[in-house]
Amino acid sequence: ETGVTQSPTHLIKTRGQQVTLRCSSQSGHNTVSWYQQALGQGPQFIFQYYREEENGRGNFPPRFSGLQFPNYSSELNVNALELDDSALYLCAMGGSYEQYFGPGTRLTVT
Amino acid sequence: AQSVTQPDIHITVSEGASLELRCNYSYGATPYLFWYVQSPGQGLQLLLKYFSGDTLVQGIKGFEAEFKRSQSSFNLRKPSVHWSDAAEYFCAVGSRSNDYKLSFGAGTTVTVRA
C-alpha cells in the first residue's frame, strides 16, 4: 500500500472528448510524475510536476497537460482524445530515491 | 538518453525453481536502477533499487539484483519461486541529472507452473 490514490479507476470516453484524471497522496510529496502504459508495454513518462511547476515532459503532445495543487494532488488532462490514448495511466509521487505509484486509471477510448 | 532493454518477453518457471530476469540499461552517467512488479490490473510495486555502494541489492519478497557496470546490467534473481510471483516485472533507470524521471523496459511476464 503506497498511500497514492487515483480516480477514477476506469473510464470510457469517445474519440475527440476530453478527460481529467486525478492523483492524490496521504503524504505530502512535492513531486508527482505521470506515466502512460499501453497494453503490453512498459510505462512511458508523460511529465513531472515539482512544487506546482512542470519539471520536464516526455514525448507527448501538448494536448496532454497537467496541474499540481498546493496540497500536492495532481490532475492529468487529455484533450481531443484519440484511440491510441487508450491505456493505463499511472501517477507516481515522490522524487529522488523512491517513487510511489498509484493503482492507475484505465482509460478506454472508443 | 537513458533506456532499458529487457530481452525476455516471457519466462515460465516451475514453482520452487530459481528465477533470473535480465535487464540492460543505457546511460552515460551513474544510473539509478529499479525493479518493479505489476500484478494484473494493479499499479507498480517497488521490489528493490540501486543507487550506489554494494552492487548486490536485497529487496522485498526474497528478490535480489546485481549491478554490473561493465555489462550495463541489473539482473533480478530469486532462489525459489512461489506461485504468487507470477506477474509482470519491469526494470527502470533514472538519474539525478534527469530529475529522477524513470525510463522503463517493456517488461517480462513470469508464469509459474505447479
Side-chain angles (χ1 to χ4, degrees):
Chain A
E1 183 60 51
T2 64
V4 178
T5 59
Q6 292 187 242
S7 63
T9 305
H10 295 89
L11 200 54
I12 300 174
K13 288 286 189 178
T14 303
R15 187 171 49 184
Q17 286 186 317
Q18 177 266 342
V19 68
T20 297
L21 311 181
R22 295 179 174 83
C23 175
S24 63
S25 172
Q26 299 169 349
S27 303
H29 300 289
N30 57 19
T31 303
V32 62
S33 302
W34 285 91
Y35 294 82
Q36 179 196 66
Q37 185 179 16
L39 198 62
Q41 298 182 24
Q44 299 292 315
F45 174 74
I46 302 174
F47 46 57
Q48 181 184 89
Y49 278 80
Y50 173 68
R51 294 184 176 179
E52 302 178 53
E53 297 285 331
E54 186 176 294
N55 183 39
R57 166 181 285 266
N59 190 25
F60 282 82
R63 60 188 185 85
F64 285 78
S65 63
L67 285 172
Q68 186 183 29
F69 300 100
N71 67 355
Y72 301 132
S73 65
S74 178
E75 288 182 353
L76 164 66
N77 299 289
V78 187
N79 294 320
L81 284 167
E82 300 177 0
L83 296 178
D84 285 348
D85 296 333
S86 295
L88 181 68
Y89 288 85
L90 298 163
C91 80
M93 289 201 166
S96 61
Y97 299 110
E98 189 160 342
Q99 296 187 29
Y100 301 92
F101 281 83
T105 293
R106 173 73 63 188
L107 172 64
T108 301
V109 182
T110 62
Chain B
Q2 56 193 38
S3 66
V4 173
T5 301
Q6 293 180 247
D8 304 305
I9 297 173
H10 191 190
I11 286 180
T12 298
V13 60
S14 298
E15 191 168 15
S18 64
L19 173 68
E20 181 168 12
L21 303 182
R22 295 184 290 163
C23 171
N24 294 100
Y25 69 90
S26 173
Y27 187 66
T30 300
Y32 294 169
L33 295 160
F34 307 82
W35 274 100
Y36 286 88
V37 62
Q38 186 177 40
S39 297
Q42 303 297 312
L44 299 173
Q45 182 182 22
L46 179 67
L47 287 174
L48 46 78
K49 59 195 176 195
Y50 171 79
F51 295 120
S52 64
D54 193 346
T55 56
L56 186 61
V57 180
Q58 301 298 320
I60 63 171
K61 303 185 179 185
F63 284 93
E64 66 177 26
E66 186 171 12
F67 171 60
K68 293 185 177 180
R69 184 185 298 276
S70 62
Q71 299 177 19
S72 297
S73 69
F74 188 58
N75 294 349
L76 181 71
R77 298 193 293 257
K78 185 169 184 177
S80 178
V81 169
H82 187 262
W83 63 266
S84 61
D85 293 323
E88 183 134 28
Y89 292 80
F90 293 96
C91 182
V93 63
S95 68
R96 181 187 298 179
S97 62
N98 198 25
D99 291 319
Y100 311 106
K101 303 174 184 72
L102 299 179
S103 296
F104 286 84
T108 297
T109 301
V110 173
T111 298
V112 180
R113 59 183 175 216

